[in-house]
Amino acid sequence: MDRVVPQAVPLGQMEVFQALQRLHMTVFSQSVSPCGKFLAAGNNYGQIAIFSLSAALSSEAKEESKKPVVTFQAHDGPVYSMVSTDRQLVSAGDGEVKAWLWAEILKKGSKELWRCQPPYRTSLEVPEINSLLLVPKENSLILAGGDCQLHTMDLETGAFTRALRGHTDYIHCLALRERSPEVLSGGEDGAVRLWDLRTAKEVQTIEVYKHEVRPCPSPILLALPQLLCIRNSLLPPSRSAPGPTTGAGSDAWQPTQTGWDPCLSGQVCGGGPALTLWHLRSSTPTTIFPMRAPQKHVTFYQDLILSAGQGPCVNQWQLSGELKAQVPGSSPGLLSLSLNQQPAAPECKVLTAAGNSCRVDVFTNLGYRAFSLSF
Amino acid sequence: MSSESSKKRKPKVIRSDGAPAEGKRNRSDTEQEGKYYSEEAEVDLRDPGRDYELYKYTCQELQRLMAEIQDLKSRGGKDMAVEIEERRIQSCVHFMTLKKLNRLAHIRLKKGRDQTHEAKQKVDAYHLQLQNLLYEVMHLQKEITKCLEFKSKHEEIDLVSLEEFYKEAPPVISKPEVTMGDPHQQTLARLDWELEQRKRLAEKYRESLSNKEKILKEIEVKKEYLSSLQPRLNSIMQASLPVQEYLFMPFDQAHKQYETARHLPPPLYVLFVQATAYGQACDKTLSVAIEGSVDEAKALFKPPEDSQDDESDSDAEEEQTTKRRRPTLGVQLDDKRKEMLKRHPLSVMLDLKCKDDSVLHLTFYYLMNLNIMTVKAKVTTATELITPISAGDLLSPDSVLSCLYPGDHGKKTPNPANQYQFDKVGILTLRDYVLDLGHPYLWVQKLGGLHFPKEQPQHTVIADHSLSASHMETTMKLLKTRVQSRLALHKQFASLEHGIVPVTSDCQYLFPAKVVSRLVKWVTIAHEDYMELHFTKDIVEAGLAEDTNLYYMALIERGTAKLQAAVVLNPGYSSIPPVFQLCLNWKGEKTNNNDDNIRAMESEVNVCYKELCGARPGYQLLTNQLQRLCVLLDVYLETESHDDSVEGPKEFPQEKMCLRLFRGPSRMKPFKYNHPQGFFSHR
């Protein structure tokens, strides 16, 4: 293996500490600004960095333009999840949701707009918030994480309206079926649950591990299906023509006409549920993708499924389960993918991927990594 | 007429007798004078005019006679003959007269000649006289001009001005009534005044001389007195030595040192003075001494070598040698190298005593030709240390002071000019010689007041940039910290090699009481080996694996799980933390590349090291990190999901109290230990 030994620069105490910090940085979450020109990335030290995509993508981009425009300390713990409304950036980490005004941030003022904490029952440890989900119709925000519940919060009043209980372990991710106000959640307990927001009831449960088809004869696979990850595709390719099947029961999924493509993916150490495509109505796995490494983020893009997880690659799958391409990134493991689809900035239409490094890889097309933004 | 002719005849006859004597004129003349009348005298008596008349008459008579004869002859006849005869006789008389006249004319001519000659001689004499007189005139004229041109010496004398003269000179000398009108007298008077004055000044000069003599004598006497004082003072000093010792006042010793210090080269002198000053003012544990031969140093100064000359000379020599003496080139270069790297014979020793009685000996040298300072370090401890194998480099003179300031590894010469000098003699880098010469650390140059421009613009501000004095305190503190941290490490390594992680009582609260994982190996590894390890790539790429660092490999075991930890120990420990890279061998190989939890464990020891430093100044950091690593391994193994398909109990039953096993998107394990409650939570 060729190792590039960088020019030895004398490092002082602060520099060493900073280098170590960067070395052990994990970027958990990303969010694109409403204008489409900026990307926010949150790391495990609670910092949020704002990168200017338009500057980095412009023809006269320098090394400096790949550095954050602004970095500010948002949370004490890691920033696990971020979403953007049309004015605000909402970030969540250890048990607290904070909102920031995009306009303020870009003016380098990082004063929080508001903060609130879901009503937790335990006091010993503050549960983390792993996922945020905006429900535009209700103008509400759904939070889910360490306390095994989904909390809905009214964005107007800031009050927590509902708590959806059912998961037996912490929740990793959320996905929205917009047509009918239904939310999918995937948790550490190996189950995907479909919730009806109107009744605040659990509609359906798929215990994914029970359907596990082991891609390899690893003996522990069935025993502990720990993680399910549901991701709503960020891009609704057929938003204008939603398919009829989407309103049906959970786990039903029809590849050809999906308005909402909840894609299930599983991860378990040493095996676990493989990345699987489920049909919601019949609750059966349609395609099991032949990928052994655990995948942590999945998204739909046109007729492809993009997934990333352990390993430095962004995987592109055909719906039939064929691996179309593996595009290497710069991080040893990826945790989050973000597609910038904002119509306001068509020139900044890129895929960004972040994970176990201080770098955010930018893919201008799906074929290769153009460059990396760096904390 | 006839009588006349007869008279003339007689002398004529006589003369014809004496005719043969006519050639010898003078004698015959004188003889004749005696005997006969003097014709010369006759000449004086006769008038030349009448002679001329006579001559004319005679010639006419002759002509007439000749004509008569011719006439007679042409007529012929007997009677004629008598007449002819007669006439012939008459002619003869006439001829006689002519002869006489001729003689007289001759005599007259001779006389005239004599007279002319005489007159001429007279004229000549007069001419000569005239010439003599003319010459005399000329000579006299010359003398006159000479006299006119004569310059008197007094004109060169700078006389006082006229007014001054009349004002100052006494009237006896100046005599105004005489001199006012007569410039000659005036000048004389002025000269007199001048002479008078000069006489007075000469007198004064003589007086001053004698005065000076007197003072010199006085000085001589005083000097003698002083020189006699020195030995007495010395003996007093000698006698006071025991008192000084008794009172702890090493004046004498210090004095001696200062004396020696005078021979130090400037940088060492600056260091000596500053270190002594610092030692006296701030830090009693610092002692300064000078080592080496003073005589050699003195000898060095006697022939004041011009280094530039030297260089140019050596240049020329070098060229020559390359041309002529190729075989000896190597030897010559060697000599030149030695010459270039020559140290000043004097060196400054600093002894820095730490709290635990260990001493850091620093010897500072000055390389004369390179104009840099080097330092050699040695650490001695109060008690004999058992040297663990892995601690070999900790106190070695080569590395103990490495990177005292970030990046200052002391392997490169800080003087940019040296590179050119090296090129000349074929030294690639100073690195090969540092073991011999000592290390030319930057801080050493600063302590000596030497300042060199940096190669790269410095982007970090290190301490204070003003030299020596302001640098001294920081450096001394750093030195002390360095030695103490190295000694602490030294002790810790001894127990680490025996598999014991020493945790001091004040750090116990950082760890749970029961730690099952054990350190089984602690070895030092080479920099190259570290670079070759497959799980250290990130550190190498981040530029944290410099070759000035020390590298170790720790192995922590619990049951079948083996955790390898590659450790980078920065020379700046403990202000700069050691960096760990992990590789777990258990159910496959796990590194930060394929296991987020391994990554989390690394960050737990590397990033969150501040809580592990323990009591200031944090010498417990390394051992605490290792102990935490053991704890982390316990947590990692105990929280690992159990494989149901394997028979029998779990290999690592969960003994640690955890609130939750996993958390967050990357499914972190609870690595943080909460002290009084004793449970583990997520960070």
Side-chain angles (χ1 to χ4, degrees):
Chain A
M1 195 192 303
D2 282 350
R3 290 200 177 173
V4 186
V5 182
Q7 182 65 39
V9 180
L11 294 176
Q13 190 180 351
M14 267 322 285
E15 284 86 356
V16 169
F17 181 65
Q18 280 164 2
L20 285 173
Q21 258 201 340
R22 284 162 54 82
L23 207 60
H24 291 95
M25 193 183 287
T26 305
V27 180
F28 282 111
S29 52
Q30 305 174 70
S31 179
V32 180
S33 71
C35 66
K37 288 179 180 163
F38 296 92
L39 177 76
N43 69 9
N44 57 333
Y45 303 116
Q47 297 164 326
I48 294 177
I50 312 294
F51 298 97
S52 168
L53 285 176
S54 55
L57 285 166
S58 72
S59 50
E60 56 261 18
K62 290 184 234 58
E63 271 312 301
E64 287 86 62
S65 50
K66 288 163 190 169
K67 289 277 171 193
V69 187
V70 194
T71 307
F72 59 95
Q73 192 71 36
H75 294 264
D76 295 333
V79 184
Y80 285 131
S81 182
M82 284 195 292
V83 289
S84 287
T85 68
D86 47 2
R87 284 179 59 235
Q88 298 169 8
L89 173 70
V90 183
S91 66
D94 271 352
E96 213 170 18
V97 190
K98 291 186 183 179
W100 320 79
L101 267 181
W102 266 109
E104 284 278 311
I105 293 170
L106 295 178
K107 275 185 241 153
K108 325 229 164 176
S110 55
K111 204 174 169 302
E112 63 192 45
L113 191 63
W114 51 261
R115 67 159 91 188
C116 54
Q117 197 172 16
Y120 292 129
R121 283 172 299 185
T122 57
S123 59
L124 200 55
E125 198 206 12
V126 182
E128 81 279 11
I129 298 167
N130 283 331
S131 185
L132 294 174
L133 183 67
L134 277 175
V135 188
K137 266 188 184 169
E138 295 187 1
N139 193 21
S140 65
L141 183 72
I142 302 177
L143 305 77
D147 64 344
C148 317
Q149 303 175 25
L150 286 75
H151 298 274
T152 56
M153 182 187 135
D154 193 336
L155 275 178
E156 223 157 276
T157 60
F160 289 93
T161 49
R162 285 182 288 256
L164 309 175
R165 300 188 184 90
H167 275 287
T168 55
D169 208 332
Y170 75 90
I171 300 165
H172 276 283
C173 52
L174 297 169
L176 182 70
R177 302 180 73 193
E178 210 172 63
R179 293 285 292 178
S180 53
E182 284 174 340
V183 172
L184 286 154
S185 66
E188 179 79 6
D189 55 359
V192 173
R193 291 169 208 268
L194 180 66
W195 309 85
D196 190 328
L197 285 177
R198 288 161 298 193
T199 58
K201 291 269 169 59
E202 183 178 339
V203 182
Q204 201 173 356
T205 308
I206 320 162
E207 289 177 303
V208 177
Y209 62 92
K210 291 185 176 158
H211 298 272
E212 182 63 41
V213 179
R214 278 180 286 165
C216 72
S218 167
I220 47 158
L221 282 180
L222 270 178
L224 260 169
Q226 287 146 324
L227 172 77
L228 258 164
C229 185
I230 300 182
R231 283 289 180 228
N232 199 345
S233 82
L234 283 173
L235 122 124
S238 43
R239 185 186 281 242
S240 50
T245 52
T246 50
S250 71
D251 286 3
W253 185 83
Q254 287 205 337
T256 47
Q257 37 173 315
T258 48
W260 306 108
D261 298 345
C263 173
L264 310 182
S265 74
Q267 177 223 335
V268 70
C269 294
L275 186 65
T276 316
L277 195 62
W278 290 78
H279 188 253
L280 270 177
R281 192 159 39 177
S282 59
S283 316
T284 47
T286 341
T287 316
I288 296 169
F289 297 97
M291 171 59 72
R292 289 211 49 200
Q295 298 298 297
K296 308 219 170 158
H297 197 128
V298 185
T299 186
F300 282 89
Y301 177 68
Q302 291 165 357
D303 56 346
L304 290 175
I305 297 169
L306 307 178
S307 80
Q310 208 176 74
C313 297
V314 175
N315 305 305
Q316 300 172 19
W317 306 93
Q318 306 276 17
L319 295 183
S320 57
E322 258 175 73
L323 183 64
K324 189 184 171 227
Q326 275 193 311
V327 186
S330 65
S331 309
L334 293 173
L335 287 171
S336 108
L337 295 172
S338 160
L339 268 162
N340 183 5
Q341 299 278 341
Q342 293 293 342
E347 75 278 5
C348 298
K349 185 178 170 186
V350 290
L351 171 72
T352 51
N356 287 340
S357 75
C358 58
R359 294 175 292 275
V360 180
D361 297 340
V362 178
F363 302 79
T364 42
N365 66 27
L366 291 184
Y368 72 102
R369 178 177 71 95
F371 57 87
S372 297
L373 304 166
S374 174
F375 263 84
Chain B
M1 196 62 186
S2 63
S3 67
E4 239 183 46
S5 59
S6 62
K7 260 202 269 174
K8 278 180 187 177
R9 230 189 231 167
K10 265 190 190 168
K12 199 181 167 183
V13 174
I14 297 164
R15 278 210 49 171
S16 60
D17 290 345
E22 244 182 23
K24 306 157 198 175
R25 197 183 306 161
N26 289 333
R27 199 183 54 189
S28 58
D29 278 353
T30 50
E31 279 170 4
Q32 280 172 354
E33 272 178 43
K35 278 182 182 174
Y36 315 99
Y37 74 100
S38 173
E39 252 181 345
E40 279 93 353
E42 199 190 339
V43 169
D44 295 332
L45 303 175
R46 291 173 72 109
D47 182 31
R50 278 166 57 199
D51 279 352
Y52 180 58
E53 293 296 319
L54 182 65
Y55 166 70
K56 262 184 189 169
Y57 167 74
T58 315
C59 283
Q60 272 167 3
E61 281 301 298
L62 265 174
Q63 275 171 346
R64 193 190 43 95
L65 286 170
M66 284 305 156
E68 280 171 11
I69 292 168
Q70 199 185 2
D71 201 39
L72 290 167
K73 276 197 176 170
S74 50
R75 272 179 268 158
K78 274 205 198 145
D79 56 348
M80 293 295 204
V82 176
E83 271 190 46
I84 293 170
E85 192 60 32
E86 201 190 329
R87 282 188 174 90
R88 207 187 63 181
I89 291 166
Q90 278 179 356
S91 303
C92 276
V93 172
H94 283 301
F95 270 118
M96 287 308 287
T97 313
L98 271 180
K99 265 190 170 178
K100 168 98 182 159
L101 281 173
N102 186 32
R103 256 187 335 265
L104 283 176
H106 271 288
I107 289 168
R108 264 190 196 116
L109 179 67
K110 193 188 165 234
K111 262 196 177 167
R113 259 184 197 161
D114 282 349
Q115 274 173 351
T116 316
H117 185 72
E118 220 168 284
K120 198 188 163 199
Q121 261 182 341
K122 233 179 219 168
V123 169
D124 276 353
Y126 284 135
H127 187 71
L128 195 66
Q129 207 176 348
L130 174 69
Q131 294 236 312
N132 279 341
L133 288 172
L134 282 176
Y135 183 76
E136 207 170 328
V137 166
M138 215 164 68
H139 177 74
L140 286 173
Q141 271 171 347
K142 252 188 211 166
E143 286 293 306
I144 289 165
T145 45
K146 233 186 227 171
C147 286
L148 287 176
E149 277 168 14
F150 172 75
K151 279 201 171 163
S152 168
K153 234 183 186 170
H154 82 270
E155 283 168 38
E156 289 166 19
I157 299 172
D158 198 11
L159 294 170
V160 291
S161 68
L162 218 57
E163 302 90 73
E164 223 175 305
F165 167 68
Y166 283 117
K167 221 191 307 176
E168 286 176 9
V172 186
I173 292 170
S174 67
K175 292 178 209 146
E177 67 284 358
V178 184
T179 56
M180 270 312 210
D182 187 352
H184 180 68
Q185 286 300 325
Q186 193 183 45
T187 312
L188 281 178
R190 284 172 75 187
L191 282 171
D192 277 347
W193 175 232
E194 183 72 26
L195 178 68
E196 185 63 30
Q197 274 182 320
R198 286 191 183 203
K199 269 180 189 163
R200 281 183 207 170
L201 286 174
E203 189 63 28
K204 221 180 201 175
Y205 171 69
R206 222 170 301 134
E207 251 170 56
S208 303
L209 264 187
S210 65
N211 227 3
K212 184 187 160 198
E213 201 69 20
K214 225 187 277 171
I215 292 168
L216 271 180
K217 253 178 209 162
E218 259 172 58
I219 291 173
E220 199 62 34
V221 170
K222 279 180 184 167
K223 255 189 190 165
E224 252 170 55
Y225 172 71
L226 281 178
S227 59
S228 70
L229 207 61
Q230 178 66 29
R232 266 192 284 166
L233 281 177
N234 275 352
S235 61
I236 293 171
M237 285 290 280
Q238 207 64 36
S240 74
L241 267 184
V243 184
Q244 280 182 28
E245 262 167 51
Y246 181 72
L247 295 173
F248 296 108
M249 293 189 300
F251 293 129
D252 200 42
Q253 206 188 335
H255 181 73
K256 252 182 219 164
Q257 267 201 349
Y258 293 147
E259 188 64 28
T260 323
R262 287 209 337 233
H263 301 287
L264 286 172
L268 286 180
Y269 186 75
V270 170
L271 170 72
F272 173 78
V273 171
Q274 292 297 341
T276 318
Y278 176 71
Q280 281 172 359
C282 309
D283 192 348
K284 298 282 180 230
T285 61
L286 178 71
S287 69
V288 189
I290 297 172
E291 282 202 340
S293 142
V294 182
D295 294 337
E296 271 181 57
K298 276 184 194 162
L300 209 69
F301 272 102
K302 264 178 197 161
E305 275 180 74
D306 196 353
S307 61
Q308 281 191 330
D309 268 11
D310 212 345
E311 265 180 28
S312 58
D313 279 357
S314 66
D315 263 7
E317 270 174 43
E318 208 166 26
E319 279 175 18
Q320 282 183 347
T321 46
T322 44
K323 276 175 196 162
R324 287 184 205 163
R325 287 168 284 175
R326 231 164 231 292
T328 59
L329 193 63
V331 183
Q332 275 211 333
L333 266 182
D334 236 31
D335 285 350
K336 260 184 209 157
R337 268 176 225 163
K338 266 182 208 157
E339 175 64 30
M340 181 163 289
L341 300 173
K342 213 167 145 193
R343 299 197 286 226
H344 193 274
L346 290 179
S347 55
V348 173
M349 284 268 299
L350 289 190
D351 285 359
L352 203 58
K353 207 179 268 177
C354 300
K355 274 172 205 144
D356 53 349
D357 277 353
S358 54
V359 182
L360 174 66
H361 305 276
L362 295 172
T363 316
F364 292 91
Y365 300 100
Y366 176 61
L367 304 185
M368 293 178 289
N369 292 327
L370 298 181
N371 189 28
I372 52 173
M373 286 170 71
T374 60
V375 67
K376 272 190 186 175
K378 205 180 145 224
V379 178
T380 53
T381 47
T383 50
E384 194 60 38
L385 282 181
I386 323 131
T387 304
I389 307 155
S390 57
D393 278 346
L394 282 180
L395 294 175
S396 81
D398 191 30
S399 74
V400 68
L401 296 180
S402 169
C403 297
L404 198 61
Y405 291 93
D408 190 6
H409 45 66
K411 299 259 165 84
K412 241 170 51 181
T413 166
N415 187 352
N418 290 165
Q419 203 48 55
Y420 297 101
Q421 292 173 297
F422 290 162
D423 286 350
K424 248 182 226 170
V425 295
I427 299 176
L428 285 179
T429 148
L430 196 64
R431 184 180 283 250
D432 311 331
Y433 299 89
V434 285
L435 264 188
D436 247 7
L437 298 171
H439 292 261
Y441 298 112
L442 277 174
W443 57 266
V444 179
Q445 320 304 323
K446 284 181 180 154
L447 287 189
L450 294 173
H451 182 70
F452 301 108
K454 291 187 178 63
E455 280 176 15
Q456 314 153 312
Q458 199 77 19
H459 32 247
T460 54
V461 180
I462 322 159
D464 198 345
H465 274 286
S466 50
L467 291 181
S468 201
S470 57
H471 230 73
M472 185 64 74
E473 188 169 359
T474 333
T475 306
M476 288 302 150
K477 281 186 180 151
L478 279 174
L479 283 170
K480 264 191 190 174
T481 320
R482 168 64 59 87
V483 171
Q484 277 171 342
S485 79
R486 285 296 167 96
L487 286 172
L489 279 178
H490 202 269
K491 267 182 216 150
Q492 291 164 3
F493 280 16
S495 46
L496 287 181
E497 275 185 8
H498 292 95
I500 302 157
V501 182
V503 178
T504 52
S505 55
D506 56 334
C507 295
Q508 284 293 355
Y509 74 95
L510 289 167
F511 313 104
K514 189 181 175 193
V515 180
V516 188
S517 301
R518 286 279 160 251
L519 178 74
V520 291
K521 205 168 84 177
W522 174 260
V523 289
T524 171
I525 57 172
H527 177 229
E528 293 76 29
D529 295 344
Y530 182 87
M531 306 277 277
E532 288 304 311
L533 288 173
H534 62 279
F535 54 93
T536 56
K537 199 175 120 204
D538 293 341
I539 298 291
V540 174
E541 278 172 3
L544 294 171
E546 291 164 46
D547 61 348
T548 49
N549 297 337
L550 301 168
Y551 296 90
Y552 300 93
M553 180 66 87
L555 185 63
I556 296 172
E557 272 188 8
R558 178 174 177 183
T560 54
K562 289 180 170 50
L563 180 69
Q564 276 183 296
V567 186
V568 183
L569 189 71
N570 194 292
Y573 179 85
S574 60
S575 63
I576 297 174
V579 181
F580 288 72
Q581 284 294 91
L582 306 178
C583 175
L584 176 65
N585 277 297
W586 183 60
K587 298 181 180 172
E589 195 178 72
K590 288 162 185 172
T591 66
N592 63 12
N593 237 337
N594 58 17
D595 193 327
D596 288 347
N597 277 308
I598 296 289
R599 197 159 180 268
M601 285 162 74
E602 285 176 3
S603 103
E604 199 71 23
V605 285
N606 289 342
V607 182
C608 309
Y609 69 89
K610 279 176 182 157
E611 59 210 54
L612 294 172
C613 288
R616 284 188 67 82
Y619 299 140
Q620 306 301 319
L621 178 57
L622 179 71
T623 49
N624 283 349
Q625 279 178 316
L626 280 168
Q627 180 71 3
R628 175 174 273 188
L629 219 47
C630 294
V631 176
L632 292 176
L633 182 62
D634 279 353
V635 173
Y636 182 92
L637 293 174
E638 286 177 20
T639 55
E640 199 57 30
S641 47
H642 184 56
D643 187 350
D644 277 346
S645 58
V646 177
E647 294 293 318
K650 281 169 110 176
E651 186 185 353
F652 307 113
Q654 191 181 336
E655 289 166 339
K656 306 272 184 289
M657 205 172 25
C658 305
L659 288 180
R660 275 169 60 189
L661 289 186
F662 300 102
R663 181 185 156 117
S666 46
R667 309 187 68 246
M668 288 299 156
K669 298 184 183 213
F671 287 125
K672 184 181 167 194
Y673 178 71
N674 295 278
H675 164 54
Q677 298 89 353
F679 65 89
F680 284 85
S681 67
H682 291 85
R683 190 169 286 280

